[in-house]
Every structure is written in C-alpha cells, then in structure tokens.
Amino acid sequence: MISIRLESLVKHIKINDKIIDIGCDHALLDIYLVKNNFLKNIIVSDVHEKALNSGIENIKKYNLEKKIDARLGNGLEVLTEKDNVDTILISGMGTSTILKILSNPYIKNIKRMIIQSNNDHFELRQNIIKMGYIVKAEDFLIDNNKHYINIVFEKGEKKYKKEEIKYGPILIHNKNYLRFELENCEKIRRLIPKMKFKYRFKLTREIKTLKKLINKK
C-alpha cells in the first residue's frame, strides 16, 4: 500500500513514459508503479545518500533492480542523453527547489512533468508556462489532514489569465479547492494585526475574488 498522496499521482502515469522520479526517497511509489505494471521501468534519484540507500534496499526486497535504476545525485544531473527520459516526476519538494532542478539543460528533452509541490503554486505555474508548457491536469486532495496539489505540465503554448495561473486553469473550477483557499485567506486575515494595512488589504481583495469565483455558475 502507498499513501493517498502518492496514489493520486498514479493516474497521471502513462505506460510508455520514460520517467525519472526526482527525490524518490524510499522509492515506494516507483516500486508500486513497476510491480503493478503502470510502468515497465523507471530511473529514480535522490540527492540524499541515506534516503537513496533506503530506496535501494526496498527495490532489492522486491527484486526490481533490473527495472528500477537508482542514482545518487541532484535532479536531472544524473541523466545522460542515452537515458532518453521524457517525463519528470517530482513530489514532496518546494517550488524554489523544483525550479532549480528544472534549470538543467536536459530540460529540452522533457515533454511532460508530473509535479506535487509543497508551496507557491502560482510561481510554479508561472515559471513552467514561460518555459513552453501548458497545464494539462490538476488535482486537489487531502491526505492525513494535509492538502496537496498535483499539476501535470505538457509541452505546448497557451495564454492564461492571471487568475488561472494563480488558482490553476483547471482548479479554478473546483469549488472545494476554492473554498479551501477562501477559508485559509480568512484565517490568515484574522491573525494579521490591523496596522499591517497593505497585507490585510491584499488578503481582503483575494477573499473577494475567491467568493466571486465560488459563486460563479
């Protein structure tokens, strides 16, 4: 069994994807994907040797060494052109770290990205769209009282409104997600001292926008 958070990524995997899972940690998702025939094989990497070694032990436990190639290193740096990877899978990292990983020249070979970032989804969308990708799919989910957002990017060009980049061109139509954002903004505003007028004003404007989107038919 894998967590709801990890399982939510499975539906975005295609059998012919040539994937690298960056920051694979214990390789639980990768083992699940190969064992259940969602993928024929996968390259996994982690910058932390201890975490990678734990993953390698799990891979050996299921005799999957020939199908799961574990490499120690920082993101796309572990790849060569011969690897022919065209899809990136990243979960459990912050947006600033993810964007640093994507600054590697190998990115020119990447057709799809399946990303579960911990924060700053507006910045994530904004930057990856500028790199020549479109938002193909988005999910909002809760696992163990924590919320997560999955975003799938594919090569392409499309113009988005600012609100679509901020809340997601797909999630902007998800009332549950918008209500979650609204509750979060209202909670933060209650905690902000009244003297911080500019920040409170910004939150008030965002709350107004979210209410408008929620009430939109």
Side-chain angles (χ1 to χ4, degrees):
M1 289 290 293
I2 56 175
S3 66
I4 294 171
R5 175 181 75 85
L6 291 177
E7 191 173 13
S8 70
L9 297 164
V10 175
K11 68 180 179 181
H12 299 299
I13 304 293
K14 299 178 181 179
I15 187 68
N16 292 319
D17 285 341
K18 297 176 179 63
I19 296 183
I20 179 169
D21 179 7
I22 298 174
C24 65
D25 199 19
H26 302 294
L28 298 180
L29 175 59
D30 313 292
I31 291 167
Y32 181 87
L33 289 170
V34 174
K35 269 190 67 183
N36 292 282
N37 299 312
F38 290 102
L39 282 175
K40 297 174 184 176
N41 48 61
I42 187 170
I43 295 172
V44 303
S45 72
D46 205 296
V47 71
H48 301 291
E49 188 172 3
K50 187 176 179 180
L52 187 69
N53 286 339
S54 176
I56 290 171
E57 287 301 313
N58 288 330
I59 292 166
K60 288 179 178 178
K61 181 180 175 181
Y62 292 96
N63 299 312
L64 293 173
E65 298 97 316
K66 292 183 179 179
K67 294 185 177 182
I68 303 178
D69 183 354
R71 303 179 185 180
L72 179 65
N74 188 9
L76 296 172
E77 291 178 7
V78 304
L79 297 176
T80 67
E81 295 292 333
K82 291 180 180 179
D83 290 315
N84 202 27
V85 167
D86 61 13
T87 303
I88 292 174
L89 174 62
I90 301 178
S91 63
M93 292 187 198
T95 285
S96 61
T97 301
I98 291 169
L99 293 176
K100 286 177 184 176
I101 289 170
L102 301 184
S103 65
N104 187 285
Y106 194 95
I107 196 68
K108 69 181 186 298
N109 301 308
I110 301 301
K111 297 176 182 177
R112 299 179 73 235
M113 303 183 205
I114 304 163
I115 298 179
Q116 189 181 84
S117 172
N118 292 338
N119 55 23
D120 299 330
H121 300 99
F122 170 71
E123 185 183 351
L124 182 74
R125 292 188 192 95
Q126 188 176 48
N127 280 276
I128 295 182
I129 288 168
K130 284 180 181 178
M131 291 164 60
Y133 293 83
I134 63 170
V135 177
K136 192 68 176 179
E138 292 180 308
D139 306 317
F140 170 71
L141 62 136
I142 297 174
D143 182 13
N144 198 24
N145 294 318
K146 292 182 180 180
H147 77 282
Y148 298 93
I149 292 176
N150 300 333
I151 309 176
V152 180
F153 298 93
E154 290 189 0
K155 275 284 188 182
E157 290 186 11
K158 186 175 181 179
K159 289 186 177 180
Y160 293 100
K161 297 177 182 177
K162 188 175 180 179
E163 285 182 359
E164 289 179 314
I165 299 175
K166 182 172 179 59
Y167 301 112
I170 296 169
L171 287 181
I172 200 169
H173 304 291
N174 184 321
K175 303 291 186 182
N176 289 331
Y177 166 67
L178 294 175
R179 289 189 189 98
F180 169 82
E181 289 290 352
L182 175 61
E183 289 174 9
N184 196 42
C185 284
E186 289 177 333
K187 182 179 179 180
I188 294 171
R189 187 175 64 172
R190 287 195 296 269
L191 297 172
I192 298 299
K194 290 184 179 180
M195 66 279 294
K196 293 192 175 181
F197 176 78
K198 288 185 179 180
Y199 192 23
R200 285 177 63 86
F201 177 76
K202 182 180 178 182
L203 282 168
T204 300
R205 189 168 56 184
E206 187 168 354
I207 287 168
K208 186 177 179 181
T209 298
L210 285 163
K211 285 181 176 179
K212 183 178 178 183
L213 290 170
I214 289 168
N215 294 321
K216 189 176 181 180
K217 293 182 179 179

